[in-house]
Amino acid sequence: MQNKAFLRALEDVSEVFMFDQWLRFYFIHEEDKKLIVKVPKEVGDQVEKDFPVMKGLLDMFNNEEIDQQKSTNNVCAFIGARFDGTKYTGKIIPKVFDSKNFKIDTYLFSLWMKGHETYLESEVMTFGDWKELYAGWKDQDEVKDYISRLTNAAPGSAIQPPTCTTVQ
């Protein structure tokens, strides 16, 4: 069992990765053969109100050209500046990145996005909506069972994804 600081750090780091995905899912536009993040002011204002910590990450991306490497660099720099050695001791964030829990969290979020892509594309949803939908999906019995199997699996085990079809 990990300590409370580790679990809070895991939650914070996972939320940053989720936010990055949400930003890039809805707010990338092509201009002159470049991908640019353009977040409307009202969306930025809502993020600042509901998720003030994430506003800093939004500002790093907004009106900037983006690619996978820059996204990764921004996310890592943001986590390093906001959490590593500041909110948490210098040893916790590296442990989070190396943990099975983090790998499972990022895998599950990716699985959720792929499985719900059509629904997520149906309208621009808030980051709060994404968090709520994802939490609801993770709370389904089929997904809880899958998480348990992933958590308890031996390295290299092949485990089939959950078969739930409920759209959250």
Side-chain angles (χ1 to χ4, degrees), residues 9-61:
L10 175 64
E11 187 176 305
D12 283 344
V13 169
S14 293
E15 183 177 56
V16 171
F17 276 82
M18 289 171 59
F19 187 83
D20 167 62
Q21 292 291 319
W22 172 78
L23 268 179
R24 292 187 294 126
F25 191 86
Y26 289 121
F27 303 108
I28 288 183
H29 303 279
E30 188 171 345
E31 293 180 8
D32 300 323
K33 297 185 181 184
K34 296 178 183 177
L35 297 177
I36 309 289
V37 177
K38 290 199 170 261
V39 180
K41 181 180 180 339
E42 61 274 7
V43 173
D45 292 345
Q46 191 66 43
V47 166
E48 187 168 28
K49 178 181 172 230
D50 295 341
F51 302 96
V53 171
M54 295 302 152
K55 180 65 165 72
L57 185 58
L58 185 150
D59 291 342
M60 290 174 75
F61 281 96

Side-chain angles (χ1 to χ4, degrees), residues 122-133:
S122 68
E123 64 179 294
V124 176
M125 298 177 193
T126 68
F127 181 59
D129 290 340
W130 270 39
K131 286 186 68 167
E132 185 178 323
L133 291 168

Side-chain angles (χ1 to χ4, degrees), residues 50-120:
D50 295 341
F51 302 96
V53 171
M54 295 302 152
K55 180 65 165 72
L57 185 58
L58 185 150
D59 291 342
M60 290 174 75
F61 281 96
N62 202 19
N63 298 312
E64 296 290 331
E65 183 177 357
I66 193 73
D67 60 26
Q68 185 60 46
Q69 187 60 51
K70 185 169 183 180
S71 176
T72 300
N73 292 345
N74 283 351
V75 166
C76 290
F78 182 82
I79 290 169
R82 302 300 187 292
F83 304 133
D84 193 21
T86 52
K87 185 173 181 179
Y88 303 103
T89 66
K91 295 180 180 180
I92 289 183
I93 298 300
K95 285 181 183 177
V96 166
F97 280 124
D98 290 338
S99 72
K100 184 175 185 177
N101 302 65
F102 179 69
K103 291 172 181 141
I104 289 171
D105 271 4
T106 55
Y107 166 71
L108 287 171
F109 187 71
S110 176
L111 185 66
W112 173 78
M113 280 185 61
K114 287 177 185 168
H116 295 83
E117 188 170 7
T118 302
Y119 180 71
L120 297 172

